[in-house]
Amino acid sequence: MVLSERISGLAPFIIIGWRNMWRQKRRSLVVISSIAIGISAMIMLTGFMNGLTQQMVDNTINTALGHVTLHRKGFRNNIKLEKSFLPGPDVYAALEREGSLRAWAPRVTIKGMIRSGEGSRGVLIQGIDPAREKGVSKLYDYMLKKEGRFLSGPAADELLISKSLAEKLDVYLDDRVVLMFQDAGNEVVGAGLRVAGFFETPMGGFDRGVVFVGIDRLRALCGIGPAVSEIVMSTRDLNAVEVTGGRLSAAIHDPALEVQTWKEMAPDLVSAITLQETMMFVIFMIVFITVIFSIANTLIMSIIERFHELGVMKSIGTRPSRVFFIVMYEAMSLGLLGLVLGMLVSVPVVLVLGHTGMDFSFALESMRKWGTGNIIYPVLATRDIVSAAFIVFFTTFVAALYPALKAARIKPLDALNYV
């Protein structure tokens, strides 16, 4: 009963707030428009940066790292055959028991050189199991299907090379190239393999520096038997990689081995994402500081114009808290209208672009350096909309606080004599 009485008591002041807001249509529209533009820019920029970040992470995981990887300690800092290991029964048992894993695949990785009749280049040679590799990376999806085929088996006498590297070496389908590297006995080994197919990933640096062969073929050339350099895993949930990695570390009791997540293996990428988020925060602060001054200026001008009116209200017994409420309600209404308008403009645009993508083919090389691909698909999460709404209401509240307090402290006598 008390609550309903209070609400009914505020009704006249709500009407006054709306009346004042629409009596000053021009100023109100300026404030609403500035909030709507700020929100639209925030939502669209957030969606774009979310998509950019997500594609950077996905492409890095789906080409080089995987979600979680098992290898000898220090392998990532020193890729050599000496760092290979023979997985024991406990390793395979732990992998099979871990329900959060979607797939896993062994790899043998060494540094070497690829040579053709036209030139040579230092590369990372990765031995893969073609069938298992499809579950942990998108190498098969990145294949140029009309220009070759995938590896026919783990022991096949063939290799996969990127289209860009093939062009540099002047290599065509079914040409033979020579791979050179040091085997387990530190002897230089050379092997001629036939080009089975070409791939093209969104990551230019990866394409220029990696070739793939069958894992059994590379093991035989290296003389390491059934050993592997690493076991790459794909999880069902990207956000659960730390939990999965922790469980696997606890289940595998070999102190020489370590389980690392993609965040631990790619600290530079994590730092780049953090930098992006910091830049976004700074941009939003600049936008909404501008909005704060816009709202505050509008409300102060409104109070000056209604100084006499507010004095009359105070003189007939209107409490300062009611005057404070009128100004705050007016400001929050402006903020709400700006928020709704900004959302109506930006959210559908981001959702549509999330399906169609934004084509950046004009900056293809730059996008490949970032590892995002030439088409960016904006992503908008519920938390982004909630954050935008919170920022608007908080900003509006802060902007209206000083004008509302100023209005509440107006002295009736001064206001009645105000000219």
Side-chain angles (χ1 to χ4, degrees):
M1 186 67 179
V2 175
L3 180 61
S4 61
E5 289 178 356
R6 288 184 177 178
I7 293 174
S8 61
L10 291 175
F13 301 101
I14 293 175
I15 295 171
I16 292 173
W18 273 93
R19 185 201 67 184
N20 291 334
M21 185 173 65
W22 292 114
R23 193 168 61 184
Q24 305 172 69
K25 290 182 181 179
R26 181 174 297 178
R27 286 203 192 97
S28 297
L29 288 174
V30 169
V31 174
I32 293 171
S33 299
S34 64
I35 295 174
I37 291 171
I39 282 294
S40 298
M42 177 181 177
I43 292 294
M44 287 191 280
L45 186 58
T46 298
F48 175 78
M49 295 304 292
N50 285 348
L52 189 76
T53 300
Q54 182 173 307
Q55 287 175 226
M56 285 172 58
V57 171
D58 288 345
N59 292 335
T60 301
I61 289 172
N62 291 324
T63 53
L65 300 181
H67 292 150
V68 183
T69 301
L70 172 67
H71 46 238
R72 277 194 183 277
K73 291 181 178 178
F75 168 74
R76 281 285 162 185
N77 298 323
N78 188 16
I79 298 177
K80 290 185 177 180
L81 285 177
E82 289 83 350
K83 294 290 184 178
S84 59
F85 67 99
L86 184 62
D90 61 321
V91 171
Y92 292 117
L95 294 175
E96 294 299 330
R97 283 196 308 267
E98 182 53 55
S100 63
L101 292 183
R102 185 175 60 209
W104 58 270
R107 288 180 184 171
V108 172
T109 306
I110 58 173
K111 293 179 180 178
M113 180 177 292
I114 183 171
R115 298 187 62 181
S116 70
E118 298 298 325
S120 61
R121 191 178 184 90
V123 292
L124 204 63
I125 305 167
Q126 289 201 332
I128 60 172
D129 182 326
R132 286 192 169 274
E133 188 67 23
K134 293 177 183 178
V136 298
S137 75
K138 287 188 176 180
L139 178 61
Y140 180 78
D141 298 327
Y142 294 140
M143 294 294 299
L144 304 179
K145 304 299 192 297
K146 295 181 179 180
E147 299 184 46
R149 59 194 181 279
F150 201 52
L151 293 175
S152 57
D157 191 29
E158 53 194 21
L159 89 164
L160 304 176
I161 186 173
S162 71
K163 187 66 176 177
S164 57
L165 184 55
E167 290 173 354
K168 291 183 181 296
L169 297 176
D170 196 22
V171 170
Y172 298 91
L173 187 64
D174 289 326
D175 282 356
R176 293 191 73 86
V177 295
V178 176
L179 293 182
M180 300 183 67
F181 50 86
Q182 283 188 323
D183 64 10
N186 291 324
E187 298 291 335
V188 177
V189 175
L193 301 174
R194 193 174 299 280
V195 176
F198 306 101
F199 61 86
E200 188 171 51
T201 76
M203 304 181 67
F206 181 86
D207 283 6
R208 290 189 294 271
V210 182
V211 298
F212 294 91
V213 301
I215 188 170
D216 290 343
R217 183 73 175 104
L218 188 57
R219 279 168 170 165
L221 293 170
C222 295
I224 60 172
V228 300
S229 299
E230 57 185 345
I231 296 177
V232 180
M233 292 158 268
S234 173
T235 63
R236 302 182 191 279
D237 183 4
L238 178 62
N239 297 319
V241 292
E242 287 86 359
V243 176
T244 301
R247 283 200 296 259
L248 287 171
S249 296
I252 297 171
H253 306 293
D254 190 340
L257 302 180
E258 66 177 345
V259 176
Q260 287 189 311
T261 66
W262 69 269
K263 292 181 180 179
E264 295 170 311
M265 292 184 287
D268 291 343
L269 178 58
V270 175
S271 298
I273 294 171
T274 303
L275 178 60
Q276 285 183 2
E277 293 174 348
T278 304
M279 291 173 61
M280 292 279 289
F281 176 78
V282 171
I283 292 171
F284 294 155
M285 286 296 293
I286 293 172
V287 170
F288 284 99
I289 285 173
T290 305
V291 171
I292 284 176
F293 282 107
S294 174
I295 296 172
N297 179 64
T298 299
L299 292 176
I300 290 172
M301 293 299 297
S302 174
I303 290 169
I304 291 173
E305 290 178 357
R306 290 183 287 151
F307 202 71
H308 186 80
E309 177 185 332
L310 291 172
V312 171
M313 292 176 62
K314 294 288 288 292
S315 66
I316 61 176
T318 303
R319 295 197 302 269
S321 60
R322 299 298 191 185
V323 177
F324 179 86
F325 172 80
I326 290 173
V327 178
M328 291 300 295
Y329 179 78
E330 182 179 339
M332 298 306 285
S333 297
L334 291 172
L336 178 61
L337 290 172
L339 173 65
V340 171
L341 181 60
M343 290 290 187
L344 289 175
V345 171
S346 59
V347 172
V349 172
V350 174
L351 293 177
V352 170
L353 291 176
H355 288 284
T356 62
M358 302 172 66
D359 193 348
F360 285 84
S361 298
F362 61 90
L364 179 60
E365 288 305 313
S366 297
M367 303 306 285
R368 280 171 61 80
K369 287 180 181 179
W370 278 91
T372 59
N374 62 308
I375 298 179
I376 303 298
Y377 296 90
V379 176
L380 197 61
T382 304
R383 69 175 183 275
D384 299 322
I385 297 176
V386 173
S387 298
F390 173 79
I391 290 172
V392 168
F393 287 124
F394 178 77
T395 302
T396 305
F397 178 82
V398 171
L401 198 57
Y402 173 74
L405 289 172
K406 186 176 179 65
R409 292 171 180 171
I410 290 176
K411 295 180 179 180
L413 187 61
D414 294 340
L416 292 174
N417 294 324
Y418 178 77
V419 178

